[in-house]
């Protein structure tokens, strides 16, 4: 059973398709403009290794990249491929499975970023 609060106008014969988030016509949608204006990250790229909450398995975490979601996903894919392991990109953070801090630091320097090693 669908919730009535999630319902709303999807298409209007007057304006065409409607954005489900801001309920404006897609041509006047404010959601996309807000997403492009404020990329996540403070510009200081921090690379660290974490094991907390992962059953003792280590994960290399890259935070602080001032990139939009698409560029961040592409960079995450490139770093995972270079390290030869899996991982994910979520909430503006790239996670690569395994301890690959030095490899990722070198790759980010080659790409023109100024990464810092964070943590112990």
């Amino acid at each position: 059973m669908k919730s009535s609060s999630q319902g709303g106008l999807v298409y209007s014969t007057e304006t065409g398709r409607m954005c489900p988030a801001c309920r404006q016509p897609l041509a006047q949608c404010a959601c996309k403009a807000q997403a492009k204006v404020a990329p996540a990250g403070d510009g200081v790229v921090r690379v660290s290794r974490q094991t907390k909450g992962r059953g003792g398995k280590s994960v290399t975490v890259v935070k602080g990249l001032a990139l939009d979601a698409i560029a961040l996903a592409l960079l995450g894919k490139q770093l995972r491929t270079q390290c030869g392991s899996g991982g994910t990109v979520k909430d503006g953070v790239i996670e690569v499975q395994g301890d690959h801090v030095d490899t990722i630091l070198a790759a980010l320097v080659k790409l023109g970023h100024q990464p810092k090693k964070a943590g112990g």
Side-chain angles (χ1 to χ4, degrees):
M1 191 167 139
K2 290 187 178 181
S3 173
S4 62
S5 65
Q6 296 290 359
L9 187 62
V10 176
Y11 186 86
S12 168
T13 55
E14 188 175 322
T15 58
R17 295 206 37 91
M18 307 294 278
C19 176
C22 65
R23 306 203 188 276
Q24 297 292 322
L26 281 182
Q28 301 165 352
C29 177
C31 300
K32 292 179 185 176
Q34 289 175 352
K36 289 181 183 177
V37 170
D42 57 359
V44 179
V45 182
R46 293 178 184 90
V47 182
S48 63
R49 186 179 61 85
Q50 292 182 353
T51 56
K52 226 177 206 182
R54 294 182 171 88
K57 307 226 175 174
S58 63
V59 173
T60 304
V61 179
V62 181
K63 295 181 182 178
L65 286 163
L67 300 171
D68 63 342
I70 296 169
L72 198 65
L74 290 173
L75 179 62
K77 171 72 172 162
Q78 187 176 357
L79 292 175
R80 290 192 311 268
T81 303
Q82 193 161 3
C83 294
S85 64
T88 186
V89 177
K90 58 183 173 185
D91 301 327
V93 176
I94 299 174
E95 294 181 2
V96 180
Q97 294 173 354
D99 186 2
H100 300 287
V101 175
D102 296 326
T103 308
I104 290 177
L105 282 170
L108 288 172
V109 168
K110 277 185 184 177
L111 293 171
H113 298 282
Q114 295 178 344
K116 293 181 179 180
K117 189 173 181 180

